[in-house]
């Protein structure tokens, strides 16, 4: 189909590479199809409240290397259950999806490119079912989307976490300490696992494998008896002890989201370990540093490939799909196959085998 006017929004937590995607969509739509491109601001809020910005080759010319998203984003603001404070300070929940559909029609868009993780893409799928032509583009540092080898943003987050590990190694070794690094990932351990392997962690704890504390302590004691007494532990924010609960910071600050904010396992683990070993224990929480800053070359290339392929898919009329990396190709996956699913690390994954084969303790089984 001829593309005249297309829209794009970015939703969920930001990550590196979002601007590479925005640039690729904009340039492909203009250069290949002569279309106009409309940016929706702050995720689906832009669609609900008609907040837009024109995107051109000029306005996107210096953003390939830029972190964040020039469109803005939010991990709140579900238009199907929009939470706001009323005059009395009480939370009211309203369905604003019809308002979003009305904006879409008034903007005379041929389609909407929805760049997001599983939460944002589920919303995209709901709008697709209401008649909006949607093409999804998989984003998230968590790498927890089915259907794609990798989401963009993940490799950059892993690189940042790996750099942090390298630095913790030198200080940990110098002081003979146990150094714990807590990383993001929500309910998936991908960042912890890949960055832990890349950074030579001695212990990696992920949500998919509740850890046995005795096991962890045994590994540390084993190292204390050896020639390198220090230990480096990588722990995912969603990790928990066998029989224990995930540790959270309560609900998000504004109370408008209701989603649990994870974090705190690094300090909890430090307290658990400290009592049982003769070394000092220190915790570093990497936090949003993983999401900020310039994307790695891999994420710039992946974002550019996905953005270009998404526009080609729209021009063919392939709506209700997500563009995805199936190495070495970019393929299309139906949004219906992804909705509501979260891809966690399978407990028999080869990455786990490689970790244990090389002596990394995963909080389970032998050292
Ligand atoms: N299961 C769900 N069903 C419908 N809407 C959801 C669901 N989970 C989250 N949302 C909404 O989707 C939006 C973003 O969700 P979420 O925070 O999960 O981001 P995401 O797109 O998955 O990206 P990331 O996980 O990288 O932050 C928010 O508006 C949130 O309210
Ligand atoms: O930006 P916020 O609201 O603190 O969200 C943090 C969450 O978002 C992510 O960075 C991306 O989904 C998770 O890894 C993390 O749990
Ligand atoms: Mg998500």
């Amino acid at each position: 189909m001829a593309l005249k006017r297309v829209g794009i929004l970015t939703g969920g937590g930001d990550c590196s590479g979002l601007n590479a995607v925005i640039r690729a969509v904009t340039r492909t739509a203009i250069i290949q199809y002569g279309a106009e491109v409309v940016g929706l601001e702050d995720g689906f809020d832009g669609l609900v409240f008609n907040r837009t910005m024109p995107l051109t080759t000029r306005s996107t010319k210096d953003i390939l290397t830029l972190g964040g998203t020039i469109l803005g984003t939010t991990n709140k603001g579900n238009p199907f259950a929009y939470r706001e404070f009323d005059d009395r300070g009480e939370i009211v929940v309203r369905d604003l999806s019809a308002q979003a559909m009305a904006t879409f029609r008034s903007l005379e868009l041929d389609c909407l490119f929805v760049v997001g993780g599983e939460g944002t893409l589920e919303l995209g799928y709901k709008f697709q079912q209401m008649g909006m032509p949607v093409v999804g583009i998989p984003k998230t540092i968590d790498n927890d989307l089915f259907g794609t080898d990798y989401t963009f943003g993940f490799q950059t987050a892993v690189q940042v976490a790996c750099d942090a590990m390298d630095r913790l190694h030198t200080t940990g070794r110098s002081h003979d300490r146990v150094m714990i690094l807590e990383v993001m990932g929500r309910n998936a351990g991908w960042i912890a696992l890949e960055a832990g392997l890349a950074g030579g962690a001695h212990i990696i704890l992920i949500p998919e494998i509740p850890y046995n504390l005795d096991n962890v302590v045994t590994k540390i004691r084993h190292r204390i008896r050896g020639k390198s007494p220090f230990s480096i532990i990588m722990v995912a924010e969603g990790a928990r002890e066998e029989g224990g609960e995930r540790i959270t910071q309560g609900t998000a600050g504004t109370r408008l989201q209701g989603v649990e904010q994870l974090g705190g396992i690094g300090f909890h683990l430090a307290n658990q370990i400290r009592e049982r070993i003769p070394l000092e224990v220190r915790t570093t929480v990497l936090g949003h540093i993983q999401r900020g800053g310039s994307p790695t070359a891999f994420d710039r290339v992946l974002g550019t490939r996905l953005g270009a392929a998404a526009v080609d898919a729209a021009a063919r009329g392939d709506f209700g799909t997500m563009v995805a990396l199936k190495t070495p190709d970019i393929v299309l996956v139906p949004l219906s196959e992804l909705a509501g699913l979260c891809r966690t690390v399978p407990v028999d994954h080869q990455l786990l085998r490689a970790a244990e084969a090389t002596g990394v303790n995963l909080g389970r089984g032998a050292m």
Side-chain angles (χ1 to χ4, degrees):
M1 66 181 278
L3 294 177
K4 287 203 195 70
R5 215 166 137 78
V6 299
I8 177 170
L9 65 78
T10 54
D14 75 330
C15 71
S16 298
L18 280 165
N19 285 324
V21 173
I22 295 168
R23 174 180 174 273
V25 165
T26 302
R27 292 180 69 83
T28 307
I30 293 171
I31 295 169
Q32 297 300 324
Y33 299 98
E36 269 180 72
V37 185
V38 177
L40 284 309
E41 295 177 2
D42 305 327
F44 284 101
D45 279 11
L47 206 54
V48 171
F49 302 110
N50 199 356
R51 291 205 305 266
T52 66
M53 65 166 84
L55 293 173
T56 63
T57 51
R58 175 176 281 267
S59 70
T60 56
K61 80 179 164 64
D62 287 325
I63 65 171
L64 176 62
T65 60
L66 194 65
T69 160
I70 60 166
L71 293 176
T73 188
T74 174
N75 54 13
K76 302 169 182 64
N78 174 354
F80 293 86
Y82 204 88
R83 296 161 77 90
E84 288 174 300
F85 290 114
D86 66 11
D87 295 343
R88 289 169 302 160
E90 304 282 321
I91 288 183
V92 286
V93 183
R94 291 191 292 157
D95 182 353
L96 300 181
S97 56
Q99 196 170 313
M101 286 300 289
T103 309
F104 179 80
R105 290 195 191 98
S106 72
L107 291 171
E108 298 183 343
L109 298 175
D110 295 320
C111 68
L112 181 66
F113 298 104
V114 174
V115 191
E118 94 295 349
T120 303
L121 291 178
E122 181 162 359
L123 298 174
Y125 179 56
K126 286 186 178 174
F127 280 115
Q128 167 77 29
Q129 287 176 307
M130 290 172 75
M132 186 186 294
V134 167
V135 177
I137 303 179
K139 165 243 70 158
T140 173
I141 64 165
D142 301 339
N143 200 36
D144 59 357
L145 270 173
F146 277 102
T148 187
D149 291 351
Y150 289 111
T151 53
F152 72 86
F154 170 69
Q155 292 290 349
T156 304
V158 167
Q159 188 61 54
V160 171
C162 175
D163 292 346
M165 289 293 279
D166 292 349
R167 289 168 192 277
L168 291 177
H169 254 278
T170 61
T171 174
R173 179 183 279 117
S174 303
H175 284 265
D176 281 343
R177 282 175 169 163
V178 174
M179 305 300 285
I180 299 173
L181 180 66
E182 178 185 309
V183 295
M184 285 184 168
R186 287 210 79 79
N187 299 319
W190 296 110
I191 299 176
L193 186 53
E194 288 215 5
L197 278 178
H202 307 113
I203 298 167
I204 303 175
L205 305 177
I206 61 174
E208 295 83 351
I209 304 175
Y211 66 86
N212 178 292
L213 185 61
D214 290 337
N215 240 299
V216 173
V217 171
T218 304
K219 172 74 178 179
I220 296 170
R221 287 189 182 140
H222 178 77
R223 288 187 53 77
I224 292 172
R225 286 195 300 276
K227 291 213 167 80
S228 307
F230 79 105
S231 284
I232 305 289
I233 304 179
M234 171 66 92
V235 61
E237 62 179 359
R240 62 186 169 89
E241 192 179 355
E242 276 174 352
E245 295 292 327
R246 292 180 320 162
I247 297 185
T248 71
Q249 301 293 305
T251 53
T254 61
R255 287 173 55 235
L256 286 178
Q257 183 182 26
V259 172
E260 277 178 326
Q261 198 184 346
L262 297 178
I265 181 69
F267 290 106
H268 175 74
L269 184 65
N271 288 335
Q272 286 186 311
I273 294 171
R274 189 174 284 126
E275 292 168 5
R276 301 181 53 177
I277 58 160
L279 300 186
E280 288 184 314
V281 186
R282 295 287 188 270
T283 297
T284 301
V285 180
L286 198 51
H288 294 80
I289 289 168
Q290 290 156 98
R291 294 214 319 234
S294 189
T296 57
F298 179 92
D299 279 334
R300 294 179 201 183
V301 174
L302 180 57
T304 302
R305 292 181 72 189
L306 292 172
V311 180
D312 288 339
R316 290 193 305 269
D318 286 332
F319 299 116
T321 58
M322 178 187 84
V323 286
L325 176 67
K326 279 278 175 210
T327 309
D329 300 315
I330 301 292
V331 299
L332 291 183
V333 183
L335 285 175
S336 57
E337 286 181 12
L338 310 166
L341 298 179
C342 175
R343 184 173 72 109
T344 52
V345 180
V347 290
D348 58 353
H349 196 280
Q350 201 273 335
L351 277 171
L352 299 174
R353 163 73 191 143
E356 285 179 325
T358 53
V360 177
N361 183 292
L362 298 175
R364 69 178 177 187
M367 284 192 307

